[in-house]
Amino acid sequence: MTTTEQLRIGGEWRPTEATFGSIDPFTQMVWARAPEATERDVADAVGAARTAFDDGPWPRWTPEARAEVLYRLADLIERDAAELAGLESQDNGKGIREMTGQMQSLPGWYRYFARLASTVEGRVTNTGKPNFFGYVVDEPVGVVAGILPWNSPLLLLTFKLAPALAAGCTFVAKPSEVAPVSILRFARLFAEAGLPDGVFNTVAGSRAEVGQWLVASPQVDKVTFTGSEGIGSLVGQSAAAQLTDVALELGGKSANIVFADADLDAAVNGLLAGIFAAGGQTCIAGSRALLHESVYDEVIDRVVKRAADIRLGDPRDPATDMGPLASEAQWDKVRRYCDLARKQQVDIRCGGEPAAAGGWFFPPTVMAGVEESHPVWREEIFGPVLACQSFATDDEAYAKANASPYGLAAGVWTNDVRRSFTAARRLQAGSIWVNAYRTLSPSMPFGGFKRSGHGRENGIEGLREFLQTKAVWIETEGLTRDPFTLG
Ligand code: NAD
């Protein structure tokens, strides 16, 4: 049966006149209906968050009191993890193993930021002036608008929401039109956790306007966006027009580098994890493999062999490794890149054509010897397509890895401890994994160099994104000053 979701505004459920269908990528049928927010709904959601911030208790509670709510929220997510994982898997087609793992990790984020919030302390400064006592405090930035993509809705929301709430901010979340259901449903947990009304609000819609209204609102103090580079640039420009603070988490074309001395079993596994987990629909996909020339052929052969065993199927079946791609548009994009590669005689070792399974399935694809100038090497495909190239020297590996407009992540496979430190220093990316790939933690900062974005999520840096600094000067001696000089 098709469910119809509602907006959550100021602690109340709001049905909308219009709704739009959310498609299950496995059945390709509408399985849920999501609310089509109007400009008025967006204004009301921002207004509710504004009132909750300006007049409500949330920013005034002690960090410990806010932490209590976040701990309760974490418990509720734990309780509902299976249900939430099912919703996400149905909405974006990602395998239930992947989504269950993500949902089980979410409570850790809320608990981490609950703890971290109470460690934020101000400081007393030496003002350099004998009659002034000076201190510095951090305050929440205010109303936050979070705009999300479809690929991991609740995890990526949590990267923003957990620190924002811990800091004392209020929030309006806008899920993607491709997979809106889990974030809309998630709002149910907040009242149960004891979050005051208006602290967490949702808007949704099938049109770009909903996000545009949100970013353009003068009532929003900070925009935090995760999505594509192109839309991120528009969001950044619109926020800049309002002089609204903005954080952008954008795309990637991450390099996964295998040195000659690597443990090849682990490296092959890491290459697979980097590009075929979640069907390659992840911003941190290790979509460019740089393989030392001495292991190049062997590694490609082994990846191709492992790729043949990957099971495509119903994303809700735990035996499935890869579900369908999330939408027809995404499937078509992957297909077009592969068609182009085939026309240009790129050496496609496996995959490269829509899967026999039909629907929006696309098989694991490995391409060898992809030229650095080829779009498959340069552009984010956001699908299960691994482009491989060889290198002869370490310098060449770093130069090729860094010759990308993106800089989100990189993987390094080596048993040489010196090389691992050098690689970590030389690679231009926000996250570097040595002998691992696609690992995240609430305490490790995450974000991009170059066109992969700016700002950081997670860790102390992630909390600081939602704080602003206030300097307080207190005159202690009642001295009168010359009003025409700088004090
Ligand atoms: P997208 O840019 O198409 O959409 C992202 C969100 O922006 C959606 O909610 C969409 O409705 C909204 N939007 C669209 N037009 C808008 C506008 N003009 N103003 C405001 N909002 C607007 O991205 P997507 O296709 O949903 O997601 C895939 C992209 O996200 C990939 O490029 C991927 O790399 C990136 N991504 C990045 C990270 C990261 O943390 N760096 C994580 C996941 C995904």
Side-chain angles (χ1 to χ4, degrees), residues 19-89:
T19 59
F20 64 98
S22 189
I23 296 174
D24 175 338
F26 181 59
T27 62
Q28 301 181 346
M29 308 276 282
V30 169
W31 75 283
R33 301 207 65 82
E36 189 80 72
T38 61
E39 191 167 6
R40 175 67 199 268
D41 292 325
V42 173
D44 287 350
V46 173
R50 185 81 262 163
T51 304
F53 186 78
D54 292 344
D55 308 326
W58 186 249
R60 282 150 207 95
W61 280 1
T62 61
E64 289 73 20
R66 286 198 295 270
E68 286 296 314
V69 176
L70 296 182
Y71 284 127
R72 278 201 293 278
L73 186 61
D75 292 344
L76 294 172
I77 297 169
E78 220 153 54
R79 182 194 70 189
D80 292 354
E83 184 199 344
L84 295 169
L87 293 178
E88 295 219 324
S89 180

Side-chain angles (χ1 to χ4, degrees), residues 395-435:
D395 280 349
E396 186 188 347
Y398 304 138
K400 283 183 169 174
N402 291 337
S404 166
Y406 295 112
L408 193 57
V412 175
W413 299 88
T414 177
N415 278 327
D416 179 335
V417 71
R418 288 199 193 115
R419 181 177 272 143
S420 66
F421 278 96
T422 306
R425 183 169 50 77
R426 298 275 303 269
L427 291 168
Q428 297 162 356
S431 292
I432 311 284
W433 292 290
V434 178
N435 296 327

Side-chain angles (χ1 to χ4, degrees), residues 146-423:
I147 300 180
L148 286 311
W150 46 263
N151 63 320
S152 293
L154 285 176
L155 180 72
L156 298 171
L157 170 71
T158 293
F159 285 10
K160 305 171 186 309
L161 182 62
L165 293 181
C169 294
T170 60
F171 206 96
V172 181
K174 193 206 92 61
S176 161
E177 59 281 13
V178 177
V181 176
S182 61
I183 289 179
L184 295 168
R185 197 72 74 79
F186 193 54
R188 289 183 187 176
L189 300 183
F190 287 84
E192 214 182 328
L195 195 77
D197 291 348
V199 175
F200 180 69
N201 309 275
T202 57
V203 294
S206 61
R207 299 169 302 159
E209 280 93 325
V210 177
Q212 286 166 347
W213 293 326
L214 205 49
V215 178
S217 170
Q219 303 255 65
V220 168
D221 298 303
K222 171 139 193 160
V223 173
T224 166
F225 171 89
T226 300
S228 61
E229 181 198 344
I231 305 288
S233 168
L234 293 175
V235 166
Q237 290 171 51
S238 171
Q242 299 288 340
L243 298 180
T244 304
D245 190 12
V246 64
L248 302 170
E249 290 290 341
L250 309 177
K253 192 75 191 175
S254 299
N256 212 346
I257 308 173
V258 182
F259 289 98
D261 67 328
D263 170 344
L264 292 192
D265 287 339
V268 167
N269 210 52
L271 288 165
L272 251 76
I275 192 64
F276 299 136
Q281 301 168 108
T282 118
C283 54
I284 49 180
S287 47
R288 293 185 298 149
L290 280 162
L291 312 172
H292 188 264
E293 57 189 12
S294 66
V295 295
Y296 179 79
D297 290 325
E298 182 183 350
V299 170
I300 292 182
D301 287 350
R302 288 172 67 170
V303 171
V304 168
K305 199 154 174 281
R306 288 279 303 272
D309 293 334
I310 290 176
R311 284 160 301 195
L312 272 61
D314 183 344
R316 271 140 295 176
D317 179 350
T320 294
D321 296 319
M322 266 170 57
L325 299 184
S327 66
E328 185 166 20
Q330 194 55 36
W331 177 83
D332 201 47
K333 183 179 173 194
V334 177
R335 192 183 54 77
R336 275 186 281 115
Y337 275 103
C338 290
D339 284 352
L340 179 73
R342 207 174 20 261
K343 269 196 207 107
Q344 296 177 341
Q345 265 108 47
V346 172
D347 179 7
I348 301 177
R349 297 290 178 89
C350 66
E353 288 186 87
W360 297 335
F361 284 97
F362 208 92
T365 297
V366 177
M367 300 188 191
V370 184
E371 301 272 333
E372 270 186 275
S373 58
H374 200 282
V376 164
W377 185 261
R378 283 189 289 111
E379 295 169 18
E380 183 184 52
I381 300 177
F382 222 59
V385 180
L386 181 66
C388 305
Q389 243 194 59
S390 66
F391 65 88
T393 65
D394 290 20
D395 280 349
E396 186 188 347
Y398 304 138
K400 283 183 169 174
N402 291 337
S404 166
Y406 295 112
L408 193 57
V412 175
W413 299 88
T414 177
N415 278 327
D416 179 335
V417 71
R418 288 199 193 115
R419 181 177 272 143
S420 66
F421 278 96
T422 306

